[in-house]
């Protein structure tokens, strides 16, 4: 990115005016807005007396590690997992990713020579920019985080293939394959195929496939994601993939249902361990969700109403950045077709300063660096914008303010 | 226990008649009966549109690791944990005990020299008879299980004190202090005080205090349990205790709320780790529970209605065993004042045979040995009776059948 000269004095004047307005705006996290949560208001009185699953199970009592079939059936197509290989679990997918890591640390994975806790070294590939909670989760277990560049088609597969082929310490890769957090990229078919087919030095390599935004379209484009479980099986790597998903940004964030999908060998491993942890998930909440969502079309209709609320906010990001920063060469930003984030790229070495300036002006942004392992973006150039939670007018106001900060940081640095 | 001679022929005739009836009865697990679950029917349409916690939190969205204050306040007295030290979590307490073990395995506990995964040996004391899921959970992590006899006042404290004083590999003890599973014993004040005060060779010794039945009275006797967190703090061992509890047998089994209580140092340790796992528990379900239970008196009133349903089943156990086995010297059984179980003690070496005979007669019992680590009761004399789930008539029929099996097993062995 080439940067045009910015007039320092006018940038300072604009920033002083911004600070003078005494804003209190927050675009830090990918949270649904209250109006989005209102779309699922029915859940607040469901199952409305019902307590029997389609197979006759009393959902109020113990049992049923795999979760309700009627709910798993609704999400199997979107998550591209055969229903018999898909488990419906607790209230988040992050905890399933955590527990998959824990179980791999403490019990030999199918195909593993030893449990990860006994390995001299465990490393994960981290496509960057990526999701801070993934990286923090791995780091908490002492897992080494190796950065891999994201491209327009997913992780740079030349780098990935080379690393996993030569380094048996690399045990996994973090992927958000659809509308990736935070770039919005959907992995190309070739990327998915190469991930499924590549040779790994580690016999127990796992792809942590966090398909968090599979039905979270902002437009009618709806790019297709290749079926990684099927491709992995086709290439003799059936046990390579752990699929995760949840209803967190479909119904209620934190009061939804998480899903785990994998090969039968992985599921047997998983269930034997998880069966020591729990007598089963909250089946009442699963019944509640099945009754509310009904079927795939029910999910699709609901997601269209979400898009009606949040697409204008994403449009505002693009419009305001275009108006304020277009043609300056100071910034580029993604125009995602789905998901929850926009990635703003600013001149190298200025992202932290932009976030600091914004904070002083009353605009909370996700910390610069959060998109990289250990919170350190080597180029200090990436800022994640999360426009869903605030009202549209607030998003617009916040982003005009951010643009002022981008111009000032660039000017001061020049 | 001295055993009177049993007439083999009449025992065989009785058993043949029992088998001839072709029963299908199940008294295996401590599950609430459907009529008990009906007591919480209101939960099936709550929170009925409400979605705001008392502190203004939107329970439909992310956040709030500690759980809702209004729900923690209801359970703090029963669990004897100050509300600010009590967390409300997911849908079970078993998973909290599991996760506490995992976190201790993988991250140094307050006071620990190293994480348990790096210890040459980790052992837990297991008062027997005890709860099979506790033992299975520890065994899954390679933790050595050391049996300690249960007495009428709790674990044999002379044994406990001696073992923990000399063996730094002993890192914990499993306790169900109120209406213990399966003996029904409530720990005496002196037992609790000694647990709180005793000297342990391990600096990171933890009492896993599973207060599962704290409000689960069957009579008006309601024995008091001493406050272990307070006693431990008094004796300079504030970090020794992890308290667990849940609403599983208060509202819905599996769709309730679990609780974790401990010292501030333990909570800080816990929250830093759990914060990597989740963005928060299902707060909608917590609000649902707070609205339904209202306060301590609400819980008390609900538990009285539970007792109305299950106390007659426990009375039937005592009545039928008295009628069928009283005075024979063949068996003794507990007469619990609360909780979910009766322990039946049969002549040494016959418990497995009783369970086998019962199974062949169509009566499913918890496997003999389940009350002991690794499912092995050295005396082969303990059978756990779980009378809550079946209807009263079924309980009576099943227990008369069990008595027939006890007599036959004893006669065949004589």
């Amino acid at each position: 990115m080439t940067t045009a000269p910015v007039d320092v004095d006018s940038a300072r004047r604009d920033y002083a005016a911004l600070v003078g307005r005494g804003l209190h705006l927050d675009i830090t996290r990918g949270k649904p807005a209250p109006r989005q949560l209102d779309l699922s208001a029915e859940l607040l009185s469901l199952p409305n007396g019902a307590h029997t699953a389609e197979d006759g199970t009393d959902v109020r009592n113990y049992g049923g590690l795999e979760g309700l079939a009627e709910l798993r059936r609704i999400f199997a197509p979107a998550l591209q997992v055969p229903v018999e290989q898909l488990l419906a679990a607790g209230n988040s997918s992050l905890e399933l990713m955590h527990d998959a890591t824990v179980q791999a640390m403490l019990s030999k994975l199918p195909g593993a020579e030893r449990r990860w806790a006994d390995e001299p070294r465990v490393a994960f590939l981290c496509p960057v920019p990526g999701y801070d909670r993934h990286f923090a989760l791995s780091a908490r277990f002492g897992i080494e985080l190796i950065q891999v560049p994201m491209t327009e088609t997913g992780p740079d597969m030349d780098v990935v293939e080379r690393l996993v082929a030569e380094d048996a310490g690399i045990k996994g890769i973090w992927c958000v394959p659809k509308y990736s957090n935070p770039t919005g990229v959907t992995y190309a078919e070739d990327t998915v195929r190469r991930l499924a087919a590549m040779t790994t030095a580690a016999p127990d390599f796992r792809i942590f496939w966090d398909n968090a935004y599979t039905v979270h379209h902002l437009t009618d484009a709806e790019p297709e994601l290749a079926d990684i479980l099927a491709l992995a099986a086709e290439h003799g790597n059936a046990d390579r993939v752990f699929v995760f998903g949840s209803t967190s940004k479909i119904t209620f964030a934190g009061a939804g249902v998480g899903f785990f999908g994998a090969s039968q060998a992985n599921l047997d491993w998983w269930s034997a361990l998880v069966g020591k942890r729990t007598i089963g998930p909250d089946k009442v909440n699963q019944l509640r969700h099945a009754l509310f969502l009904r079927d795939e079309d029910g999910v699709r209709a609901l997601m269209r109403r979400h898009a009606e609320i949040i697409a204008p906010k994403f449009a505002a990001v693009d419009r305001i950045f275009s108006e304020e920063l277009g043609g300056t060469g100071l910034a580029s930003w993604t125009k995602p077709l789905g998901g929850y984030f926009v990635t703003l790229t600013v001149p190298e070495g200025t992202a932290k300063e932009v976030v600091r300036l914004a904070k002083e002006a009353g605009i909370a942004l996700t910390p610069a660096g959060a998109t990289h392992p250990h919170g350190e973006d080597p180029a200090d150039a990436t800022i994640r914008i999360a426009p869903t939670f605030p009202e549209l007018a607030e998003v617009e106001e916040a982003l005009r303010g951010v643009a002022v900060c981008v111009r000032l940081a660039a000017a001061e640095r020049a």
Side-chain angles (χ1 to χ4, degrees), chain A residues 159-324:
Chain A
V159 176
V160 170
E161 283 171 343
R162 180 173 50 74
L163 289 170
V164 299
E166 69 196 15
D167 184 348
I170 299 178
K171 295 295 190 187
I173 183 170
W174 283 111
C175 296
V176 183
K178 189 90 168 268
Y179 306 134
S180 194
N181 177 352
T183 61
V185 161
T186 295
Y187 289 17
E189 189 184 350
D190 185 57
T191 302
V192 179
R193 184 178 302 276
R194 288 170 75 179
L195 282 165
M198 66 191 181
T199 300
T200 65
D204 51 351
F205 183 88
R206 289 294 182 280
I207 297 169
F208 278 50
W209 196 251
D210 181 4
N211 205 351
Y213 306 107
T214 179
V215 291
H216 302 58
H217 316 293
L218 288 167
T219 75
D220 293 329
E222 304 195 6
E224 276 215 27
L225 180 67
D227 180 342
I228 194 160
L229 264 183
L231 285 169
E234 226 172 76
H235 287 88
N237 299 317
D239 297 339
R240 174 172 293 178
V241 189
F242 285 167
V243 177
F244 303 96
S246 85
T247 68
S248 291
K249 285 161 183 133
I250 296 172
T251 59
F252 292 154
V257 179
F259 298 93
F260 177 67
S263 70
Q264 195 55 53
N266 280 328
L267 289 186
D268 292 345
W269 170 84
W270 175 263
S271 300
L273 299 171
V274 170
K276 297 286 184 278
R277 183 177 183 271
T278 177
I279 312 180
D282 182 343
K283 297 186 297 298
V284 175
N285 202 34
Q286 296 191 359
L287 179 61
R288 191 176 283 128
H289 275 73
L291 291 171
F292 173 59
L293 296 169
R294 290 192 316 279
D295 53 26
E296 265 195 271
D297 284 344
V299 175
R300 176 168 285 276
L302 177 59
M303 295 315 294
R304 240 181 253 124
R305 299 185 65 191
H306 278 287
E308 283 165 17
I309 296 170
I310 63 175
K313 298 178 182 179
F314 282 86
V317 176
D318 186 42
R319 190 180 69 248
I320 289 166
F321 280 165
S322 296
E323 288 171 13
E324 302 286 339

Side-chain angles (χ1 to χ4, degrees), chain A residues 60-145:
Chain A
R60 302 169 303 176
N61 222 324
Y62 289 118
L65 266 190
E66 68 287 350
L68 296 196
E70 50 266 60
L71 186 64
R72 292 152 54 212
R73 211 162 47 231
I74 295 173
F75 282 92
L79 292 171
Q80 299 171 296
V81 179
V83 64
E84 63 279 8
Q85 287 172 239
L86 186 66
L87 308 181
N91 79 318
S92 98
S93 53
L94 186 69
E95 66 183 27
L96 296 171
M97 300 173 216
H98 174 279
D99 291 357
T101 307
V102 162
Q103 309 287 18
M105 292 294 291
L106 295 173
S107 294
K108 261 175 49 168
L109 277 167
E113 283 156 6
R114 58 188 77 83
R115 55 185 204 154
W116 290 358
D118 296 327
E119 290 282 352
R121 177 173 151 265
V122 176
F124 260 58
L125 298 184
C126 301
V128 292
Y131 179 35
D132 54 352
R133 289 190 188 271
H134 286 166
F135 303 156
L137 188 167
S138 288
R140 172 255 180 283
F141 294 105
I143 292 173
E144 184 186 329
L145 307 177

Side-chain angles (χ1 to χ4, degrees), chain A residues 357-379:
Chain A
L357 289 168
K359 187 179 179 188
E360 294 208 348
I363 304 166
L365 289 170
T366 307
T371 52
H372 286 64
H374 308 296
E376 281 303 324
D377 169 13

